[in-house]
Amino acid sequence: MQKNQTKEKIKNSLLSLIESNHFEKITVTEVSQKAHISRSNLYNYYKNKDQIIDDIVEDHVAYFRKIYQNRYNYYDISDFLNELSDLLIHKSSNLKIILNLPSRFSDKFKNEIKSIVKKTYIHNKYKHPTIKSVPTDYEIQFMYLLTFNYILYTINNPKKNLEIIESINKIQKLFIK
């Protein structure tokens, strides 16, 4: 239990430092001081600050993956979008940080989200017939862009927008029969 608590302190300390400093200028010493642990103790958990960020990104991808697995369980996806909105609103400040990090991190997050959308879409394509004339690659790219735009919009306007939720629901109904 203590190991997880220490890792959370380290991650939260780095996120806190990034709010007021450029990532590249933050040192491991600053992170350890902010976490109230020794620098050598921090190295027991992470090799460097990049590895801390990788862990933070993976945490946020895991939250998204957990919610997204239910994406195609319903023809009406309002419940899914409400749950996703709750997550995005709750994690909006961390997600803004992740998306504003150097591209080696922000791109990793975006690619992981795209991979989740693709895997989920392909897995469910045969459960829910789609418009046959639209190529699968196009549908996947469209769903990813729709998803990512929803993520960006919600983290920049952290409140549920029921009109957007209803619009996305209608768009899905155009693709899925």
Side-chain angles (χ1 to χ4, degrees), residues 114 117-118 121-122 125-126 130-145 175:
K114 187 172 189 174
V117 170
K118 180 178 182 176
Y121 188 82
I122 289 172
K125 183 171 176 66
Y126 302 103
T130 60
I131 301 170
K132 301 258 187 261
S133 61
V134 178
T136 300
D137 289 345
Y138 179 85
E139 289 176 316
I140 291 167
Q141 184 67 14
F142 181 79
M143 292 299 177
Y144 166 70
L145 292 172
F175 275 90

Side-chain angles (χ1 to χ4, degrees), residues 16-88:
S16 177
L17 288 166
I18 292 171
E19 288 178 344
S20 57
N21 301 292
H22 286 95
F23 173 76
E24 302 297 348
K25 293 184 180 182
I26 297 169
T27 65
V28 171
T29 301
E30 291 172 310
V31 176
S32 66
Q33 289 172 344
K34 182 88 173 167
H36 303 289
I37 62 171
S38 69
R39 185 174 168 191
S40 60
N41 192 17
L42 185 144
Y43 284 120
N44 289 327
Y45 298 95
Y46 298 103
K47 290 189 283 188
N48 53 43
K49 65 183 182 178
D50 286 15
Q51 195 177 47
I52 301 169
I53 289 295
D54 285 340
D55 202 15
I56 292 168
V57 168
E58 182 49 43
D59 288 347
H60 288 76
V61 168
Y63 299 135
F64 189 82
R65 188 178 293 117
K66 184 176 182 208
I67 289 174
Y68 210 83
Q69 69 190 8
N70 295 320
R71 167 73 170 79
Y72 290 99
N73 285 349
Y74 309 99
Y75 183 63
D76 181 318
I77 59 168
S78 298
D79 290 341
F80 161 76
L81 290 170
N82 278 306
E83 187 178 358
L84 179 59
S85 295
D86 290 342
L87 171 71
L88 295 172

